[in-house]
Amino acid sequence: MTNELPEIGSPARTKAILNRYRLVAKKSLGQNFLSDLNILRNIVAAGDVNDHDNVIEIGPGIGALTEQIAKRAHKVVAFEIDENLLPVLDETLMDYKNVKIINEDILKANLPAVVADEFEADRPLKLVANLPYYITTPILMGVLQSTVRFEAIVVMMQAEVAERLVAEPGTKAYGSLSVIMQYRAHVEIAFNVPRTAFIPQPNVDSAIIRLTPREVLPVNPYEDKALFSFVKGCFAHRRKSLWNNLQGIFGKQPEVRERIETVLNQTGISRQLRPERLTLLNFIELTNAFHNEGLM
Ligand code: SAM
């Protein structure tokens, strides 16, 4: 009987499942299976998942995290791209009637449609996942830009990427990813996870990030896309001054330089600053001012 077996995320059971199905973890799909029950439970606890909640998972693998979510949540819908894992998940999760696996690439999925079809609308919706690391950024950007409203997002990623997401202005890790993510959500590191907790072991350590999407912003940029491309442009040469980067974005013609100066005077932001010194609010102010000045 399945319910007499140790839980999926125990090292013994993980190894038994991999052997039984002769599974070789696919590097190209970022397959590193988390095999530590305490860590798995702590991930679910970081999302404060309870029986009112609907949960989306990305990349269930052999079902270790899915099982821990299913034990606490109302319902789990998990997207898995690798069809070879479908028979495995059918067996490992057969006791959990509140789990639905969708065999689809998360980057191609129509998330709002899936949420409307699979979940009752009046329950909190959360995202909990051990992400495939090769697509961490596109997944998070897609999720945070979609119309689906998540109450909490708890995801595991490479520790170095997690450091960039939470980085403050003036630090080495601060860059366009920090600004764009912090614009969309309150971001914090919940805890770190050593590489030894996975089978097979990856070459990097990991961290759990908790994102709480923002409902309102103190200042609104006139357009998100414009803000994002402006921020990326400002960090194109992070060793150079803001003044140099702005000329890189808008051009060096005397008339353009004059308008750049007007914006810098209006906003009171020094042209000598390096982009890594600018706060999220500075970037929003500059985006709006350059828009008003007709430069974007
Ligand atoms: N959740 C499991 C765990 O914690 O042990 C497995 C996590 S593993 C790091 C990432 C999973 O994401 C793999 O199962 C992989 O096949 C799946 N995956 C990779 N790319 C994907 C994509 N584009 N869409 C959906 N799933 C994907």
Side-chain angles (χ1 to χ4, degrees):
M1 286 288 289
T2 313
N3 58 11
E4 286 165 7
L5 290 168
E7 289 169 285
I8 304 166
S10 64
R13 179 93 187 275
T14 300
K15 283 177 198 151
I17 294 167
L18 296 179
N19 284 339
R20 179 161 140 75
Y21 286 91
R22 297 182 197 288
L23 286 175
V24 179
K26 295 189 179 105
K27 259 194 174 174
S28 61
L29 291 179
Q31 291 181 353
N32 297 96
F33 302 112
L34 183 55
S35 168
D36 182 314
L37 286 171
N38 277 330
I39 296 175
L40 286 159
R41 290 183 193 125
N42 288 339
I43 295 174
V44 183
D48 195 20
V49 173
N50 62 62
D51 60 4
H52 297 295
D53 295 340
N54 288 324
V55 178
I56 299 258
E57 188 194 355
I58 297 163
I62 58 171
L65 183 58
T66 324
E67 177 176 51
Q68 297 302 325
I69 304 169
K71 283 182 179 219
R72 289 160 189 85
H74 176 68
K75 182 171 179 185
V76 193
V77 171
F79 290 90
E80 176 53 65
I81 197 172
D82 185 357
E83 63 181 4
N84 291 333
L85 293 174
L86 302 182
V88 184
L89 289 163
D90 269 350
E91 188 200 315
T92 57
L93 297 172
M94 66 193 266
D95 287 344
Y96 299 96
K97 304 297 174 219
N98 59 344
V99 174
K100 165 135 185 197
I101 306 291
I102 298 182
N103 180 208
E104 208 177 351
D105 178 346
I106 186 62
L107 296 179
K108 298 196 179 133
N110 181 343
L111 210 49
V114 171
V115 168
D117 286 351
E118 297 294 339
F119 294 129
E120 302 145 49
D122 55 347
R123 291 176 178 277
L125 179 63
K126 296 178 177 171
L127 174 72
V128 179
N130 173 10
L131 293 177
Y133 292 179
Y134 71 107
I135 43 172
T136 300
T137 310
I139 291 177
L140 288 179
M141 292 294 280
V143 164
L144 289 170
Q145 284 184 77
S146 98
T147 52
V148 173
R149 286 284 140 258
F150 288 99
E151 195 163 287
I153 298 173
V154 174
V155 282
M156 173 135 68
M157 63 188 67
Q158 205 175 318
E160 191 224 307
V161 178
E163 293 296 341
R164 285 164 53 203
L165 293 197
V166 300
E168 305 266 350
T171 62
K172 219 171 125 193
Y174 187 67
S176 53
L177 192 62
S178 331
V179 180
I180 292 170
M181 287 297 162
Q182 292 170 27
Y183 162 65
R184 285 285 181 184
H186 173 72
V187 190
E188 60 194 328
I189 292 186
F191 58 94
N192 292 301
V193 177
R195 61 192 77 183
T196 49
F198 299 85
I199 298 176
Q201 271 190 38
N203 297 326
V204 294
D205 291 319
S206 298
I208 306 294
I209 282 273
R210 183 168 36 221
L211 298 117
T212 314
R214 292 184 195 280
E215 292 287 327
V216 258
L217 283 165
V219 187
N220 281 308
Y222 87 94
E223 196 191 43
D224 288 5
K225 265 195 190 157
L227 172 72
F228 296 169
S229 70
F230 177 66
V231 170
K232 284 183 193 153
C234 285
F235 278 103
H237 303 283
R238 55 182 300 140
R239 300 263 127 237
K240 291 194 179 166
S241 66
L242 179 60
W243 176 244
N244 274 319
N245 275 296
L246 291 174
Q247 289 176 85
I249 299 172
F250 300 118
K252 291 186 176 167
Q253 305 89 310
E255 179 260 342
V256 173
R257 283 154 74 126
E258 219 170 89
R259 285 154 87 188
I260 298 178
E261 284 209 56
T262 307
V263 164
L264 290 175
N265 289 337
Q266 266 171 18
T267 52
I269 295 172
S270 161
R271 54 155 78 188
Q272 305 303 342
L273 285 180
R274 283 201 180 148
E276 66 203 29
R277 292 272 156 202
L278 298 183
T279 64
L280 168 61
L281 282 182
N282 290 154
F283 282 112
I284 296 175
E285 273 172 354
L286 285 171
T287 306
N288 290 347
F290 280 117
H291 177 58
N292 292 339
E293 196 52 42
L295 281 173
M296 56 179 186

